[in-house]
Amino acid sequence: MAVFGLIDGNSFYASCESAFAPSLRGRALVVLSNNDGCVIARSAEARKLGIAMGEPWHLVRERRDVNGLDWRSSNYSLYGDMSRRMYDILVARVPRVEPYSIDEMFLDLRDVADDLPAFCRALREEVRQVAKIPTCIGIGPSKTIAKLANKLAKDRLELGGVCDLRDPLEREAVYPDLPVSMVWGIGGKTAETLHRMGVRSIADLVAMDARKVRDAMTVVGARVQAELRGISCLPISMVAPPKKGITVSRAFSHPVSEWGELRETLAAYVTRAAEKLRQAGLQATGMTVFLHTPPFGRGEWYSNRNGARIEATSDTLALIGEALRLFRPIWRPGLSYAKTGVMLLDLVDEASRPADLFPTRDPARAKRVMGALDAINARFGRDTIRPLAAGIERPWKARAMRLSPRYTTRIDEILVAASYRPISPAGRTRP
């Protein structure tokens, strides 16, 4: 019989920050989005203060009831590497691990241990000790039940961070008290539809006629119901689904109106998108660029995009050229812009794609140049080498007023330990 686990990092971004700053542990801490705009992560102590996800930071910091609240700018390089460290620990202990998000991973727990709750408690402790991330684990006969159990493990402290819902009798006991909106895959509109049908608890959904579920929620709903009944419909996937597109976009730290500055922003975003392409072994055959002015600005609101098919490539320089060619016609002088971005579309596998008979660029040379660029940046840090078109000083770059060091990915930002030799009573340093 299938047995799944879902391990989830508690307040993951905030936990990553406090892993290297012990002074933050046990304190109310929030992590902010790009440009320090709104709250995207909260420690348990911050949640108790009533701070909501997505709440604008400029409103939070004016509240009088949040004294002692600390905050950090988002540090995605650190969070991504901490997620990798957590994954490395899990794959050494569990036969199959499927990353679901940066802080959630499904585990194949079939035949792992006779006492699964004890095994999961030990696994949590190891992740806490080695990766410094507190976690909770849910166990169930399907992915949907494992995810539900994970939520219960977080909400109910008496469970000690591990909730086991493999037993049908245990599920029968908890399902009537859990709202249907708590189920993985049921969003707000679907929950409203079910409420109108008299389905409010998970027990109501499980007991509902399967044909009615399918009519109301299509085949996805039927699959959710089957999973809640303990029938596994979603196996562990060891291969990530292929990317269909890559988008890189950021809001500026201040409105930008000059063409040269806008061109820099777009070239920088294309550079990052091209890095992601090469990391995935893909090439883009389509591209869209876009820009818009501040949505709540005083001036004219303007938004536009332009796209086209392009010759398959992952060459940063070629992609920058294509992007600027598409970007120039949609730029309107005299306006102040808040955001630009690029979307690389119709991605194809570089290894299996047949070579062009009449390429307009030398693909072998481009591959050598990009390989050298990626190797240098991997060794010395991102943007050690970058195209001049992507800018040098980058005054438009998103604000990050309280950005913590990238402790695990930049050698010049690694933690430094200091030791001192004791002083003798006579005031002389002891040997």
Side-chain angles (χ1 to χ4, degrees):
M1 186 180 76
V3 181
F4 297 92
L6 179 70
I7 185 168
D8 182 14
N10 300 340
S11 305
F12 184 70
Y13 288 177
S15 295
C16 291
E17 296 289 348
S18 60
F20 295 92
S23 61
L24 295 176
R25 296 172 190 171
R27 296 187 58 184
L29 171 69
V30 296
V31 177
L32 306 183
S33 62
N34 292 319
N35 273 317
D36 297 337
C38 60
V39 176
I40 59 171
R42 307 158 294 166
S43 67
E45 294 76 14
R47 285 196 295 271
K48 291 177 181 177
L49 294 177
I51 298 171
M53 286 287 285
E55 194 169 353
W57 174 241
H58 72 277
L59 298 180
V60 173
R61 64 185 178 188
E62 292 177 359
R63 288 171 46 178
R64 297 182 178 180
D65 59 339
V66 294
N67 291 333
L69 178 67
D70 210 334
W71 64 280
R72 292 291 185 273
S73 304
S74 49
N75 188 342
Y76 298 114
S77 296
L78 174 64
Y79 309 151
D81 192 62
M82 293 294 280
S83 176
R84 178 192 61 79
R85 289 166 179 255
M86 181 172 155
Y87 175 81
D88 289 344
I89 296 168
L90 297 174
V91 296
R93 299 290 179 267
V94 180
R96 299 203 299 168
V97 180
E98 176 191 344
Y100 175 65
S101 66
I102 192 170
D103 62 337
E104 292 180 283
M105 300 175 195
F106 283 106
L107 313 173
D108 185 352
L109 298 179
R110 179 176 41 195
D111 301 325
V112 169
D114 293 332
D115 188 346
L116 267 185
F119 172 83
C120 290
R121 284 191 288 270
L123 190 62
R124 287 184 67 238
E125 183 61 26
E126 185 169 2
V127 172
R128 181 64 182 263
Q129 287 184 355
V130 179
K132 312 303 182 190
I133 301 296
T135 60
C136 286
I137 300 179
I139 307 170
S142 69
K143 281 186 172 182
T144 302
I145 293 176
K147 193 161 177 66
L148 181 66
N150 179 271
K151 290 184 179 180
L152 294 178
K154 282 188 173 184
D155 296 341
R156 302 183 180 183
L157 298 180
E158 67 274 14
L159 295 176
V162 175
C163 179
D164 185 358
L165 288 182
R166 286 177 294 166
D167 188 341
L169 296 179
E170 292 283 347
R171 300 198 294 272
E172 288 179 12
V174 299
Y175 277 2
D177 299 325
L178 303 178
V180 72
S181 59
M182 195 173 177
V183 176
W184 180 37
I186 295 183
K189 291 185 177 180
T190 303
E192 290 177 6
T193 300
L194 292 172
H195 288 170
R196 289 193 294 268
M197 300 172 64
V199 178
R200 297 190 173 276
S201 71
I202 296 178
D204 294 334
L205 177 59
V206 171
M208 189 177 176
D209 183 79
R211 287 174 296 181
K212 290 184 178 180
V213 173
R214 189 182 183 97
D215 291 341
M217 302 170 59
T218 70
V219 68
V220 175
R223 185 174 61 199
V224 168
Q225 186 193 47
E227 288 248 325
L228 288 171
R229 289 176 171 175
I231 303 170
S232 175
C233 303
L234 301 169
I236 290 282
S237 175
M238 301 302 293
V239 180
K243 289 180 178 290
K244 297 181 179 179
I246 293 175
T247 300
V248 177
S249 178
R250 296 285 186 277
F252 307 143
S253 59
H254 63 272
V256 174
S257 57
E258 296 298 325
W259 165 250
E261 222 173 338
L262 280 172
R263 182 181 59 194
E264 274 190 12
T265 68
L266 186 66
Y269 299 158
V270 172
T271 299
R272 179 64 185 129
E275 290 174 359
K276 293 183 177 183
L277 263 185
R278 293 191 295 273
Q279 288 171 0
L282 299 173
Q283 294 183 333
T285 64
M287 175 185 289
T288 295
V289 297
F290 57 90
L291 80 172
H292 65 73
T293 58
F296 305 108
R298 297 180 180 178
E300 176 187 354
W301 160 249
Y302 175 71
S303 176
N304 206 344
R305 63 178 55 209
N306 193 12
R309 297 282 297 178
I310 63 173
E311 183 178 324
T313 185
S314 60
D315 180 359
T316 298
L317 303 180
L319 290 169
I320 288 176
E322 295 285 0
L324 295 179
R325 177 179 64 83
L326 295 171
F327 194 59
R328 189 62 188 249
I330 63 174
W331 172 67
R332 286 173 53 179
L335 298 180
S336 294
Y337 297 93
K339 191 174 188 178
T340 63
V342 59
M343 295 185 290
L344 302 181
L345 308 169
D346 302 325
L347 308 185
V348 296
D349 182 67
E350 181 180 13
S352 60
R353 183 183 173 277
D356 290 330
L357 291 177
F358 305 104
T360 60
R361 307 175 186 89
D362 183 352
R365 179 180 181 276
K367 190 169 184 177
R368 290 195 301 271
V369 172
M370 292 300 107
L373 184 146
D374 291 339
I376 293 172
N377 287 335
R379 181 176 179 181
F380 298 103
R382 184 183 298 167
D383 286 341
T384 299
I385 295 181
R386 62 174 181 259
L388 183 60
I392 298 176
E393 296 183 357
R394 300 184 173 186
W396 42 265
K397 197 171 182 180
R399 290 189 303 272
M401 297 180 66
R402 298 196 72 179
L403 182 66
S404 55
R406 292 159 289 187
Y407 299 102
T408 62
T409 57
R410 291 295 293 263
I411 190 65
D412 55 332
E413 297 180 18
I414 196 171
L415 279 174
V416 176
S419 62
Y420 300 91
R421 300 174 68 184
I423 303 297
S424 67
R428 293 175 297 181
T429 302
R430 292 178 181 173

